[in-house]
Every structure is written in C-alpha cells, then in structure tokens.
Amino acid sequence: MSLLTLARDLRRRKGRERRSLFLAEGVRSVEELIRSDLAVRGVLVTPQLLESARGSALEASISARGINLEQVSARDLATASDTDSPQGILGIAETPEHDLMSLSTDGNTRLVVLDGIQDPGNAGTILRTAAALGARAVIALTGTVDLWNPKVVRGAMGAHFRFPVAHAAYEELFGLLDRDGIALWGAAADGEAIGDAVAPDRLAIALGNEGGGLGDALRERCDRLVAIPIDPGVESLNVAVAAGIILHQVRG
C-alpha cells in the first residue's frame, strides 16, 4: 500500500484504530514529530514545499532519521489532508500506547479528564495547555473526540509526541483514582470558586462537554465542583480557556 493510500485511510477514526497509526499534518507538526522518539512510517511532501528553505531543512532531518519520504502533487496530498489549505506535508507515525493503569502518579500529580469534549480544536488546545502547565496526562472518556484526530494533533502542536494521552471508560478512570488516592474535581458553573479551594497533591480535573457540561456519571463521582468567577454579563468561558485557568490555579 502506498503512503498516500494509507494517509487517506487514516483520516477516519476506524482506520487509525485498526492500524494504530495517526497523521501529523503541517510543517510545525511534522518538525515536532521528526524531533520526537516516535516511530515514523513515512512522510508525504509536495515539491513546492521542498523548494522552500524550511522545507529543505525538514527534508534533511527526515533523511537523517532514515524515514521514507515520498513526493506527491499538491492535488493528491489534498485528498489525504484534513485542512482547507494544506501546507504541503503529512507525516504518518505509530500511535504510542499509554495504558491507563500504568500511568505514573507518584508525588504531585495533575491529570486532565475530558468528558464528552467534541471540538477537535478545543481538545488539541487543552492537550497543549496541560503539557505546558505540568499535568501528568490527559484522559479522554467515552464520547470525547478521538485525541489522534488530525485536527487535535495539529492543535496540540507536538504535545502528543512527548506527553501521555489515553482513552478510557468511566470504570477504568474510577479504578485509577481509587487505586492511587487521586481526588477528582469537576469544572462546573455551580461549583465553588476555584480560588477558594486548596488543591491536594494528587488531583484530576474533569472538563465537560462544550454545551452540556459534565455528564451525570462523572459529576456524581466528583469530590468537589469548582468554577471560575466571571463577570455576570458573560455566560461562560471556552472550555480550553477554562482548562488553562484551572490548571494554572492548581499547579503544584
């Protein structure tokens, strides 16, 4: 199977899960991917990108790692792209396996739990923010967008390549929390002000669906609900923005 045919299949979640592969699209994403320790199957690139200084430098890095590089036309690349204006490069890599129960939660621990987050841009930004603010991992519960969706990978800008992300069922998450004594706080409009709460050493922060908030199963399991005080004239904050504020507030 050609790299182009493979890349087309990886646009679909079923294809990514069946093959345990994902796409990294765009110059910045592929640069970060090549610098990472992940196993890269190959890279598709247009001749136009290789003519640029940045493209030429990226080609050298790809060659130095012995990664298969295939040139394709801009039209063909667009058939595998997930963006309206492709940048002329796609990387294909093996999805790293992160078993939930093997996550290290020793010492000060911050986990981020996504409950029904649907927007890939929000999920990617949360991943990048969590990595930047010292979280140990991001856990996506059933009903959340695939964290290996190309738009999520692009929005996270390399966070996937050095930071554990995992999909899990509610029971798996609850088992980890119980086993390691991790408190669970949920972000909710009716929660107490986040500034008034003293964060424990081991803490998971749950963020709910953009429209409906936390699901009942997770909300009932929370040890505490917390909120960010905002001006009464503003209905709510974007979930990715809220994640950044809360993580900064509870950073250990």
Side-chain angles (χ1 to χ4, degrees), residues 161-181:
F161 312 150
R162 59 181 183 275
F163 180 74
V165 302
H167 285 267
Y170 287 106
E171 294 76 14
E172 293 176 279
L173 171 67
F174 298 160
L176 175 68
L177 299 179
D178 290 339
R179 186 195 71 181
D180 294 352

Side-chain angles (χ1 to χ4, degrees), residues 174-250:
F174 298 160
L176 175 68
L177 299 179
D178 290 339
R179 186 195 71 181
D180 294 352
I182 301 172
L184 177 64
W185 289 7
D190 59 343
E192 66 177 287
I194 182 68
D196 295 336
V198 178
D201 288 341
R202 296 184 178 186
L203 175 65
I205 298 292
L207 303 157
N209 175 270
E210 289 88 347
L214 295 171
D216 291 341
L218 196 62
R219 185 182 174 95
E220 292 173 3
R221 180 62 171 74
C222 287
D223 300 293
R224 174 174 282 177
L225 297 177
V226 294
I228 301 168
I230 59 176
D231 190 285
V234 178
E235 181 180 354
S236 63
L237 291 173
N238 172 274
V239 66
V241 172
I245 294 172
I246 293 173
L247 282 170
H248 187 271
Q249 185 70 40
V250 302

